[in-house]
Amino acid sequence: MSYGMDTSNSRPLDVSIIGIGQTQVAEHWSVSLRHLALKAIQAALADAGVKKVGALYVGNMTAGTLSHQQHLGAMLADFAGLRGVEAVTIEAAEASGGAAVRQAVLAVQSGVVDLAMAVGVEKVTDMVGSSATMAQTNSMDADYESVHGITAAALGALLMRRYMHEHGVGLADFAGFSVNAHANAEGNPFAMYRRAISVDTYLQAPLVADPVNLFDSAPAGDGAAAVIVCRTERARDMVPHPVRVAASALATDAPAVHDRRDPLYLAAANLAAGRAYMAAGIGPDQLNLLELHDSFTVMVALQLEAAGFAPRGGGWILAGNGDIARQGRIPISTHGGLKARGDAGGATGVYQLVEVVQQLRGTAGRCQVPDPHWGMALNLGGAGGTAVAHVLERLV
Amino acid sequence: MELTRHWRLHNQRYSLVGEQCDRCGARLFPPRDVCPECAEPAQELFTFSGRGQVYSYSTVYSAPEGYQEYAPYSVALVQLEEGPMVTAQLTDLGDDKPEIGMPVEMVTRRLRADGDQGVIVYGYKFRKHVKDII
């Protein structure tokens, strides 16, 4: 299988992550978009022990709508004391963060840039109520989905209801995904909701869009996260614990769910994960943890199926069999995931990589998975129209 | 105010006019000019019957800007009898609850209005299929 890759013969340079930074995901009423980004950028620079980078890639989804601010590349570079640097925004809806990291990796792999940073930032609380709900539909097909008044939650609900119908499962069968995420977030100081929930709490939660309830869906919050990458040969001299980017892959599907051959199959996630496994030279069985895009519980089941952890229609079984717990076969949402760390929109993909790096460094504290060597981040835009997969490897 | 953006889609919104691929025969809605099945040009117009069945459904309680006055409302993925699937609202349900597999037919309804002065956007919704009158 080539997973549709168009590969060149040239061998890319080996790349590692040498710096990470993040803010808590929260309703940061007193903090602006640029100040949020600055905190993550400064934390990543300090972590890597560097003052400057050669390129800055910004992952963001809604600033044009919610903050009336685009041109974030120049804006954030200037604000962070990096005036003059190459800087540009990468947009792929909620997959913007993962796509920005991929650009940073490509820039270093090519040999053109020595040190590259990706910062994901999302500021969702500058508008409240129906305007904010509207901005979250920007990843959908405006002419054929959003015009019918559909919301992100309703789209998740359409997939969840059909999944329940085809595979004969009930609401309670999804509880484990939400319970696991909340339990893991307890140990993450950067999480939005740091408290465990019970299965009963999940089952009694109010409906958002039937059958999706409050604990099926991830809460939107403000946040920023950043990573710095450089060549692996250089990384070993710069920091004590570089983490190797073993694979970086991005794939697309029809953005509108109704345009897909099978709405319950995440084709882009399958392609991105498959290409990443090929590039890393591993299979899903070798991964020690997976940060996936748990915007809705049904999306967890669909991603586990698309990325090779369960057969079609079998993803939901992992919610209840212990596989996804910290000590399980494939721990997921180890820092709370979107569900409990919080859904920081286009910053999500960078948060995921920061969390995987913490795990592979062995500095994840109470969130730590036992002795991991390989970790993957799977970041989706919209309902899977874009998928970005990164496989990271601990360097001994 | 968005005028031409909605006006230019009137054939799709009012009459479910899509396209057909010359090469592989796939019926396409929405129209997209390039067949997603075989990547060949697909520009021959094809008008859909408007009949289909509910693939999945939900209810929107917390509506986006411009739709709050209609909430709560039912939304669905409808599989058209010619193949393609469309996203749309279900309407005229009365006391009926939607079901997966429920036969539906297209009707034209108001989708949204931009306040008292703005454009009223009309388009397709689907209602439970009423038996053909002889």
Side-chain angles (χ1 to χ4, degrees):
Chain A
M1 290 268 292
S2 72
Y3 292 97
M5 262 195 298
D6 176 17
T7 47
S8 76
N9 291 321
S10 62
R11 176 173 276 275
L13 297 172
D14 208 81
V15 173
S16 287
I17 296 176
I18 57 164
I20 55 172
Q22 62 183 323
T23 72
Q24 186 186 9
V25 180
E27 294 176 346
H28 289 289
W29 301 108
S30 63
V31 187
S32 69
L33 183 138
R34 68 187 78 179
H35 280 97
L36 269 175
L38 178 64
K39 283 186 184 179
I41 291 170
Q42 288 181 327
L45 289 170
D47 187 49
V50 298
K51 292 250 189 291
K52 284 191 178 304
V53 291
L56 175 68
Y57 298 98
V58 181
N60 174 268
M61 170 175 169
T62 61
T65 310
L66 292 182
S67 305
H68 308 297
Q69 183 66 62
Q70 293 187 228
H71 209 178
L72 295 182
M75 146 97 36
L76 298 181
D78 178 54
F79 198 65
L82 300 169
R83 189 181 291 185
V85 76
E86 170 181 338
V88 68
T89 304
I90 304 295
E91 192 275 313
E94 293 88 346
S96 300
V101 174
R102 173 156 170 75
Q103 289 305 310
V105 169
L106 287 172
V108 173
Q109 277 184 339
S110 72
V112 171
V113 174
D114 198 26
L115 280 174
M117 179 189 288
V119 60
V121 59
E122 205 65 64
K123 179 69 192 163
V124 295
T125 57
D126 271 353
M127 274 191 208
V128 294
S130 59
S131 307
T133 307
M134 188 52 122
Q136 288 179 337
T137 68
N138 278 358
S139 63
M140 299 177 196
D141 185 326
D143 286 343
Y144 293 99
E145 287 183 310
S146 322
V147 75
H148 297 288
I150 198 154
T151 58
L155 209 49
L158 292 171
L159 295 176
M160 187 171 177
R161 174 154 352 250
R162 184 70 193 190
Y163 189 95
M164 292 161 93
H165 172 81
E166 284 196 13
H167 304 307
V169 297
L171 183 70
D173 294 314
F174 293 91
F177 294 135
S178 190
V179 170
N180 173 68
H182 277 275
N184 288 343
E186 272 196 317
N188 179 8
F190 298 99
M192 191 167 181
Y193 294 115
R194 296 182 63 188
R195 61 189 171 86
I197 62 161
S198 68
V199 172
D200 277 347
T201 307
Y202 167 83
L203 289 172
Q204 288 161 20
L207 283 176
V208 176
D210 56 293
V212 165
N213 74 32
L214 195 63
F215 284 107
D216 285 306
S217 61
D222 305 326
V227 300
I228 299 175
V229 293
C230 75
R231 290 193 307 280
T232 299
E233 58 174 19
R234 196 176 159 211
R236 290 178 189 274
D237 299 331
M238 292 181 69
V239 291
H241 39 49
V243 170
R244 180 173 173 258
V245 181
S248 171
L250 188 152
T252 54
D253 191 3
V257 168
H258 60 230
D259 281 334
R260 299 181 191 165
R261 285 198 187 95
D262 179 354
L264 292 183
Y265 180 63
L266 296 177
N270 177 260
L271 290 173
R275 290 173 193 173
Y277 294 144
M278 280 215 343
I282 63 164
D285 290 347
Q286 280 148 284
L287 281 178
N288 304 113
L289 72 130
L290 170 66
E291 291 302 329
L292 43 66
H293 203 98
D294 53 341
S295 46
F296 297 97
T297 50
V298 67
M299 297 303 287
V300 179
L302 296 178
Q303 284 166 88
L304 289 170
E305 294 170 21
F309 296 96
R312 289 290 304 278
W316 64 274
I317 294 169
L318 277 74
N321 69 0
D323 277 2
I324 60 170
R326 262 205 297 281
Q327 313 281 343
R329 174 168 72 99
I330 181 66
I332 66 168
S333 309
T334 66
H335 285 72
L338 281 73
K339 180 68 207 74
R341 173 239 295 134
D343 178 357
T348 297
V350 189
Y351 271 98
Q352 293 175 322
L353 285 163
V354 165
E355 291 161 357
V356 176
V357 167
Q358 287 177 300
Q359 290 286 3
L360 297 180
R361 284 178 178 178
T363 57
R366 286 170 57 205
C367 298
Q368 187 66 48
V369 164
D371 200 30
H373 185 82
W374 297 98
M376 183 161 84
L378 186 56
N379 179 205
L380 302 187
T386 299
V388 191
H390 282 96
V391 173
L392 303 188
E393 181 186 16
R394 184 177 70 196
L395 291 171
V396 187
Chain B
M1 192 180 294
E2 300 168 316
L3 288 171
T4 53
R5 198 187 127 201
H6 296 298
W7 165 80
R8 84 171 77 93
L9 292 172
H10 64 275
N11 283 332
Q12 289 89 63
R13 294 257 172 86
Y14 301 165
S15 316
L16 281 179
V17 176
E19 288 168 336
Q20 180 168 310
C21 176
D22 295 336
R23 183 157 172 266
C24 75
R27 270 85 192 255
L28 308 173
F29 190 88
R32 43 167 59 229
D33 295 357
V34 176
C35 179
E37 303 297 331
C38 67
E40 292 294 319
Q43 294 179 353
E44 189 184 325
L45 297 181
F46 179 85
T47 302
F48 287 81
S49 69
R51 284 190 294 274
Q53 53 173 289
V54 172
Y55 173 88
S56 192
Y57 64 93
S58 181
T59 312
V60 172
Y61 300 101
S62 179
E65 196 166 18
Y67 297 86
Q68 297 111 304
E69 62 180 294
Y70 310 106
Y73 49 86
S74 293
V75 293
L77 287 168
V78 171
Q79 182 107 50
L80 300 176
E81 63 181 10
E82 297 90 346
M85 202 177 284
V86 294
T87 302
Q89 288 185 24
L90 298 175
T91 189
D92 304 3
L93 281 166
D95 293 332
D96 290 337
K97 292 196 68 160
E99 286 172 46
I100 289 176
M102 182 172 89
V104 291
E105 61 189 2
M106 178 251 190
V107 291
T108 303
R109 293 285 187 273
R110 173 191 293 220
L111 297 183
R112 63 169 293 170
D114 288 329
D116 294 339
Q117 307 291 318
V119 177
I120 299 173
V121 181
Y122 291 95
Y124 49 84
K125 293 188 182 182
F126 287 81
R127 70 178 176 196
K128 196 170 177 178
H129 177 62
V130 183
K131 269 208 169 143
D132 294 319
I133 299 160
I134 303 164

